[in-house]
Amino acid sequence: MRRSIATVCLSGTLDDKLRAAAAAGFDGVEIFENDLIAAPLSPEQVRERCADLGLSIDLYQPFRDFEAVGPEQLERNLRRARHKFELMRRLGADTVLVCSSVSPDAVDDDDLAAEQLHRLASEAAEHGMRVAYEALAWGRHVNTWRHSWEIVRRGDHPALGVCLDSFHVLSREPEPSGIAEIPGEKLFFLQLADAPRLDMDVLQWSRHHRLFPGQGAFDLTSFTAQVLAAGYRGPLSLEVFNDVFRQSPPDRAAVDAMRSLVALEEELAALSAARPDARPDARRVARPDAPVELSAPPAAPEPAGFAFAELAVDADSGPVVERALASLGFAHIGQHRSKPVQLWQQGEARIVLNAGAGDATGIAALAVETDDPGRSARRAQELCAPALPRTRGPEEADLTAVAAPDGSSVLFCRTGADPASWLSDFIRTGDASTSIAGISRIDHIGLTQPFDYFDEATLFYRSVLGLDPRDDSEFAAPFGLVRSRAITEPKGRVRIVLNGSLLRRGEWAPGVPDPQHIAFRTDDIVTTARVLAERGAPLLRVPDNYYDDLDARRHVDPELLAEMRRYGVLHDVDAHGEYFHCHTELLGSRVFFEIVQRVDGYTGYGAVNAPVRMAAHRDARLLRT
Ligand code: MG
Ligand code: MG
């Protein structure tokens, strides 16, 4: 399928947008009228610019408030249309988007609308152009895809067809049926946008909250499959109005957009993969007579867990983190052959401390266990994650690494079976890892995302690692509203928790700007916490008020409650089971550790306790200064 993007999705001037779209690999663009009007380039120069960049102009939009009007208004509208057809000729665009009218002058008369659109299409045809009629979800008389198709059907002109926009369809009808019955040749254009489920005015919802496919709650896979099953073979084109994308760097947003289409195509390919004639690289969706070329990146090998997490440390934070790891019962088991890098381990939980990563401190890399690191890396690259060169010395393992959008790395490795495993990069110190504190593995990794990149990060980890987003929550934290979203492997072996301030952080926000944490798993939180306390771990103190409230809310065994109070263990419960967790203080500037116990298949992350934990972290910092 060809991939296209509306210029309105991206920030900047028309030229910024075109360059970003081309650099991200798009085949074409929809030119949004306002972008053209504001551009210093003539239509011919825009056409040339697009050609130089390898972009086709797939749609000119929007043409508003045309149909179902009185005769004089119709003449004025046709005159306006002729100007636009002439402009489109100069641009080299052959399809115009006509949105259903929102004008108070429009009358509720389908036959009149059809007749006038027929007339518009006749004039378009004389210019070698086509009219794609789109039902806005807030159109005055026409606001459903069925209704727009009915009018196009009655209009009955070869140059008149329908534009389907997933937002307008799915915002009104989450599971539409019948789209596949529209004749494919009458589907002139397809615009794709996702969105979160919000209970609000549909126009505001559309203007401010559209997202790229896979970032919201709409089922774009089955929607698009229906459109393809109808026989549509035009471009998959993104039309996303979003307050954040409007001001994000256009190159980065265009890459995010491209990733969303690659991931969508993969899901479409998977939908039709059951067909006996399906091939991995080119599959057809439902229509043997009109095959669809869908590109599918190599399937995601199941991530079997975190091999390690790499922390970049500096002269201040390094010793603090080392002491904390020792107090948590980790052993410093290896020293890198050629770099100032230490390997710490307990059970299957491994932390790499990198003192040679420059200024940045925090989680520099997540390493994921996979049985085919090469395939994982190739997949990541097809999903627009650039491969990272790893500087290697002699005898050093070739870790495949790609860049995450936030500048950290995602590494793929095979620790156990591979003789060339990354572990052989480390010279043993002689210290052995024991399970002295009962920590068995990394349970999850918590990353704070800037507000502007929250949805991008969701799509990145979800698509690159083949994870599912789940457990969305929002809570009022001491310094603002926080959104939290977990992205997990179905069996829970790899869990990433993204947190972000729901609103921009104000000047007053004494919290740590972008905290990160690594959570370790234990099967017995009280025993682990006791060992940690004995070893002098910097456990975070939790106020008595929390335990008094917990005692009031649910019956907890008094002895257990006393132990929880002593060690700062928090508690949560869901439909499956219970969760116990405690935390260290912040170690250096932004990282802390968490110890968690999941009882009976609890699936969450104790988000309900996060405000208490955040206030406690703030208190601990105040005590130190
Ligand atoms: Mg649209
Ligand atoms: Mg956590």
Side-chain angles (χ1 to χ4, degrees):
M1 302 291 297
R2 298 180 62 261
R3 296 174 187 153
S4 205
I5 185 167
T7 55
V8 73
C9 300
L10 301 170
S11 184
T13 64
L14 182 59
D15 198 57
D16 295 325
K17 295 166 189 241
L18 296 177
R19 274 190 289 114
F26 281 94
D27 303 300
V29 288
E30 301 175 25
I31 299 270
F32 195 65
E33 185 161 83
N34 292 1
D35 286 324
L36 180 83
I37 290 171
L41 304 173
S42 69
E44 288 82 1
Q45 286 170 319
V46 172
R47 173 186 198 150
E48 211 170 295
R49 188 85 183 99
C50 288
D52 288 347
L53 290 166
L55 295 169
S56 57
I57 299 178
D58 296 324
L59 189 75
Y60 185 75
Q61 68 129 321
F63 191 75
R64 297 188 192 278
D65 295 335
F66 172 79
E67 77 283 17
V69 291
E72 281 164 30
Q73 185 62 44
L74 177 65
E75 286 313 315
R76 285 196 292 275
N77 290 351
L78 284 168
R79 179 181 169 278
R80 186 159 56 94
R82 281 174 214 123
H83 274 270
K84 295 305 170 188
F85 293 146
E86 170 56 15
L87 167 69
M88 287 168 60
R89 185 193 59 73
R90 295 170 64 196
L91 263 181
D94 69 358
T95 306
V96 63
L97 177 82
V98 174
C99 317
S100 63
S101 180
V102 298
S103 166
D105 299 335
V107 293
D108 188 6
D109 182 339
D110 288 357
D111 285 324
L112 184 66
E115 184 193 311
Q116 295 182 349
L117 283 165
H118 180 102
R119 194 141 162 226
L120 180 68
S122 311
E123 297 223 11
E126 285 168 27
H127 291 77
M129 286 168 199
R130 314 188 300 168
V131 170
Y133 183 55
E134 173 190 69
L136 297 178
W138 52 90
R140 188 164 176 85
H141 302 296
V142 177
N143 46 38
T144 65
W145 69 268
R146 268 175 226 282
H147 201 170
S148 60
W149 160 230
E150 175 56 22
I151 288 173
V152 164
R153 195 187 63 73
R154 288 194 211 183
D156 190 26
H157 192 285
L160 179 62
V162 169
C163 170
L164 287 179
D165 177 320
S166 64
F167 181 88
H168 295 305
V169 175
L170 300 176
S171 60
R172 298 188 58 108
E173 198 182 345
E175 291 173 27
S177 62
I179 289 175
E181 276 92 70
I182 303 177
E185 70 276 6
K186 296 309 268 183
L187 288 177
F188 280 8
F189 211 75
L190 172 64
Q191 293 178 315
L192 295 171
D194 203 340
R197 278 271 154 228
L198 296 171
D199 197 2
M200 69 187 293
D201 172 66
V202 71
L203 186 144
Q204 295 300 322
W205 186 13
S206 172
R207 280 208 182 140
H208 300 285
H209 301 283
R210 287 188 181 212
L211 293 167
F212 294 128
Q215 297 178 337
F218 289 174
D219 184 356
L220 284 175
T221 309
S222 67
F223 170 78
T224 310
Q226 286 191 55
V227 179
L228 297 181
Y232 175 78
R233 294 298 178 264
L236 301 178
S237 189
L238 298 167
E239 190 197 28
V240 171
F241 314 96
N242 179 295
D243 297 347
V244 169
F245 300 159
R246 266 185 213 282
Q247 60 176 24
S248 301
D251 290 307
R252 186 165 168 176
V255 168
D256 189 24
M258 176 55 79
R259 181 180 298 125
S260 78
L261 283 184
V262 177
L264 176 65
E265 282 190 43
E266 176 179 43
E267 285 174 13
L268 288 166
L271 258 195
S272 56
R275 296 182 62 87
D277 54 352
R279 289 185 298 121
D281 54 340
R283 300 181 170 105
R284 49 193 61 185
V285 172
R287 292 264 301 230
D289 54 319
V292 184
E293 300 284 319
L294 292 169
S295 76
E302 272 189 30
F306 287 110
F308 64 90
E310 179 179 317
L311 285 176
V313 289
D314 59 19
D316 295 328
S317 63
V320 179
V321 177
E322 286 173 37
R323 273 199 303 279
L325 283 171
S327 70
L328 262 52
F330 279 73
H332 174 200
I333 65 161
Q335 187 68 39
H336 197 275
R337 290 176 189 281
S338 62
K339 301 172 195 162
V341 175
Q342 303 177 350
L343 172 61
W344 292 71
Q345 183 167 346
Q346 180 174 187
E348 290 296 305
R350 300 183 198 87
I351 299 293
V352 166
L353 293 188
N354 187 347
D359 301 337
T361 64
I363 297 174
L366 311 179
V368 172
E369 229 22 278
T370 144
D371 58 12
D372 192 343
R375 183 153 59 103
S376 293
R378 283 197 303 282
R379 170 183 179 77
Q381 284 160 43
E382 288 201 28
L383 285 156
C384 317
L388 287 174
R390 302 283 294 181
T391 43
R392 297 175 62 196
E395 295 187 65
E396 287 178 16
D398 186 12
L399 277 171
T400 44
V402 297
D406 67 1
S408 65
S409 313
V410 175
L411 285 73
F412 300 104
C413 45
R414 195 168 52 173
T415 305
D418 196 345
S421 154
W422 62 277
L423 285 174
S424 59
D425 288 355
F426 290 87
I427 298 165
R428 298 294 155 147
T429 60
D431 280 2
S433 114
T434 63
S435 39
I436 189 163
I439 286 171
S440 55
R441 43 170 294 201
I442 293 176
D443 180 88
H444 64 270
I445 292 181
L447 302 171
T448 303
Q449 299 298 316
F451 174 78
D452 290 9
Y453 297 119
F454 198 90
D455 296 305
E456 176 196 53
T458 303
L459 178 62
F460 174 82
Y461 290 111
R462 196 209 71 165
S463 62
V464 165
L465 298 177
L467 310 180
D468 289 334
R470 49 178 86 168
D471 290 305
D472 260 358
S473 60
E474 279 176 17
F475 51 86
F479 308 116
L481 293 175
V482 172
R483 177 200 285 184
S484 181
R485 175 179 292 159
I487 312 170
T488 51
E489 187 267 336
K491 293 177 191 145
R493 294 174 296 186
V494 167
R495 301 165 181 264
I496 296 169
V497 180
L498 304 176
N499 292 307
S501 294
L502 208 54
L503 300 168
R504 281 172 193 287
R505 293 171 60 87
E507 306 255 311
W508 155 258
V512 171
D514 296 306
Q516 300 175 321
H517 71 275
I518 299 170
F520 301 116
R521 182 83 70 90
T522 175
D523 290 332
D524 181 351
I525 190 88
V526 170
T527 303
T528 296
R530 191 179 298 138
V531 173
L532 266 46
E534 281 164 12
R535 297 176 66 90
L539 287 177
L540 186 67
R541 289 198 51 83
V542 172
D544 281 335
N545 294 343
Y546 173 83
Y547 296 98
D548 294 345
D549 176 64
L550 179 61
D551 198 24
R553 280 187 288 128
R554 62 176 53 94
H555 178 74
V556 181
D557 173 74
E559 268 177 50
L560 175 59
L561 190 68
E563 300 270 42
M564 291 170 66
R565 196 188 288 261
R566 183 169 305 134
Y567 302 120
V569 175
L570 305 167
H571 179 261
D572 188 27
V573 63
D574 70 4
H576 308 281
E578 288 180 278
Y579 189 62
F580 296 88
H581 55 145
C582 62
H583 307 82
T584 70
E585 294 181 1
L586 274 155
L587 309 165
S589 55
R590 63 191 292 216
V591 175
F592 62 91
F593 296 128
E594 178 181 16
I595 319 292
V596 313
Q597 181 186 357
R598 294 178 182 276
V599 181
D600 296 336
Y602 172 93
T603 59
Y605 300 85
V608 67
N609 296 321
V612 175
R613 191 263 302 156
M614 289 173 180
H617 268 138
R618 157 82 163 150
D619 247 18
R621 287 199 311 284
L622 287 177
L623 285 175
R624 285 180 185 283
T625 53

